[in-house]
Amino acid sequence: MDIRQLRYFISVAEHLNFTEAAKQLFVAQPAVSQQIANLEKQMGVQLFIRDKHSVRLTNAGTVFLKDAQDIFSRFEESIERARQAEHGLIGKLNIGLLSAPVRKLLPHLVRQFRQKYPNIHIHFNFYHLAELLEKLKADEIDLAFTLSLGLHSIGGLEIRSLCTQPHCIIMHQDHPMANRKSINVAELAQEPFVMLERQESPPGFDLVMAMCANHGFSPSIVSQTSRVETVLMIVDSGIGITIMPRHLQLYNSPTLRFINIEGDDHKVDVVASWKKMNTNPTISLIIEEMETLLSQPHDFFSFMSSSSDTDER
């Protein structure tokens, strides 16, 4: 039995006329008769009672009609779902991210995307920077919202810059330099540093070390931790200072100060990145939706100015 035989049987059963069924199917009437005969032979039952004046279903044919219609309907639904999957309208999208840089953008993007593509399941994975790089390389995530640090060391990536964030000096409000609008890195030579462990963000760690080296000193690291929030908490405790991208003001405490770096242009891009060779069609759909969202008059990457806002506290 094949799907063509089911189609022919349903058409004859609905019309109770072989000639009309053949017209609907755009085939010759003898072909329809032959397929029905083959189907009855394969099933071992008679489906139609035929005479010169009429065609009618047998009891077996009546029972089989309902099942045949259900099977054919599911078959057509399966074809349609496959076509939608081919175009990314049904599927799964694995997103890896650092939460802070896209804290404002991502909820808007996902809501808008799910309204348009309700049959695409989005799975979120939160990683630190080094993990995101590894997951992208290993094809374990489809799309990463991350920082540009280290991305150019991975071949075959598409990178869409969303915004640029400068690095800044973070310290407790009681620090003697806390009310400054900007600080030269050289002035930090005697300061205790709190750092994110290198394995969590090798490019970020190396950037701060190089920044200090360019100003003639190696930072005195008094504490290292695996989480950004913990770094900020330790700094807020007055144990040391740190240098990190400004978007971390989203985790800000009222007693922390984010101060511009004087004379240096140390910036990092917040980006969306994905493998060029990734064949998941849902990627292009969410990138298209993201571009549409970014073209609208919203500022999803507005972070407080360290100089004006902190001075007013």
Side-chain angles (χ1 to χ4, degrees):
M1 183 188 302
D2 59 37
I3 201 69
R4 181 180 59 174
Q5 290 174 322
L6 283 182
R7 183 185 292 113
Y8 284 15
F9 166 73
I10 292 169
S11 183
V12 174
E14 290 176 344
H15 289 86
L16 295 177
N17 186 298
F18 278 77
T19 301
E20 290 299 319
K23 289 179 181 178
Q24 183 198 49
L25 296 167
F26 299 102
V27 296
Q29 188 269 330
V32 176
S33 298
Q34 183 62 47
Q35 289 299 324
I36 296 299
N38 290 341
L39 179 61
E40 289 178 321
K41 183 177 180 179
Q42 292 170 15
M43 294 179 64
V45 298
Q46 184 178 356
L47 299 172
F48 295 101
I49 298 173
R50 313 163 179 83
D51 58 37
K52 293 182 178 180
H53 305 290
S54 67
V55 175
R56 60 187 188 276
L57 286 164
T58 63
N59 289 336
T62 300
V63 171
F64 184 59
L65 175 60
K66 184 179 184 306
D67 290 337
Q69 289 170 328
D70 289 343
I71 293 169
F72 193 75
S73 176
R74 288 197 298 271
F75 174 73
E76 291 187 320
E77 288 173 2
S78 297
I79 292 176
E80 180 58 27
R81 286 174 60 82
R83 287 171 177 164
Q84 290 183 9
E86 173 71 17
H87 293 90
L89 302 179
I90 294 177
K92 181 179 179 182
L93 181 66
N94 287 313
I95 294 178
L97 70 151
L98 300 171
S99 60
V102 288
R103 175 63 186 85
K104 295 182 180 181
L105 170 70
L106 200 58
H108 291 272
L109 173 60
V110 172
R111 282 198 301 271
Q112 189 167 300
F113 185 76
R114 292 186 70 246
Q115 287 176 1
K116 196 168 184 179
Y117 304 106
N119 293 319
I120 296 176
H121 175 68
I122 301 178
H123 183 66
F124 296 98
N125 308 273
F126 293 89
Y127 302 112
H128 58 67
L129 186 60
E131 283 180 314
L132 275 172
L133 296 178
E134 291 303 316
K135 297 297 181 181
L136 267 178
K137 284 195 290 187
D139 295 317
E140 293 182 27
I141 55 176
D142 298 309
L143 178 65
F145 288 97
T146 183
L147 303 180
S148 56
L149 294 170
L151 279 181
H152 294 286
S153 66
I154 304 175
L157 291 184
E158 292 282 359
I159 301 173
R160 186 352 180 143
S161 180
L162 306 178
C163 72
T164 300
Q165 286 297 304
H167 278 69
C168 60
I169 300 164
I170 308 172
M171 58 181 55
H172 188 266
Q173 65 178 6
D174 291 339
H175 192 284
M177 291 187 282
N179 292 323
R180 298 263 299 271
K181 291 187 176 181
S182 63
I183 297 173
N184 191 291
V185 172
E187 297 179 74
L188 306 177
Q190 303 304 316
E191 295 291 332
F193 274 68
V194 181
M195 299 284 286
L196 192 65
E197 292 174 352
R198 188 180 184 278
Q199 61 264 32
E200 304 299 313
S201 176
F205 186 96
D206 293 346
L207 185 148
V208 173
M209 298 298 288
M211 196 184 305
C212 295
N214 290 338
H215 287 83
F217 72 96
S218 178
S220 172
I221 301 174
V222 297
S223 181
Q224 296 187 63
T225 181
S226 62
R227 294 183 64 85
V228 168
E229 300 93 326
T230 309
V231 171
L232 297 180
M233 184 189 70
I234 295 172
V235 172
D236 205 13
S237 301
I239 293 174
I241 62 105
T242 194
I243 297 177
M244 286 187 166
R246 182 173 297 284
H247 66 256
L248 292 176
Q249 282 186 282
L250 289 175
Y251 295 135
N252 197 12
S253 156
T255 54
L256 283 178
R257 297 294 180 262
F258 288 69
I259 302 172
N260 293 331
I261 296 176
E262 183 180 296
D264 286 335
D265 187 25
H266 295 290
K267 296 180 179 179
V268 62
D269 287 341
V270 177
V271 303
S273 183
W274 62 98
K275 279 279 193 73
K276 292 179 182 178
M277 299 302 291
N278 192 320
T279 58
N280 188 341
T282 64
I283 296 174
S284 61
L285 296 179
I286 197 166
I287 294 299
E288 180 182 345
E289 207 63 31
M290 182 182 71
E291 297 288 359
T292 299
L293 189 60
L294 291 173
S295 69
Q296 297 171 2
H298 297 287
D299 189 356
F300 296 108
F301 305 101
S302 59
F303 299 99
M304 296 176 291
S305 164
S306 64
S307 58
S308 60
D309 290 353
T310 56
D311 290 347
E312 292 173 0
R313 289 194 183 101

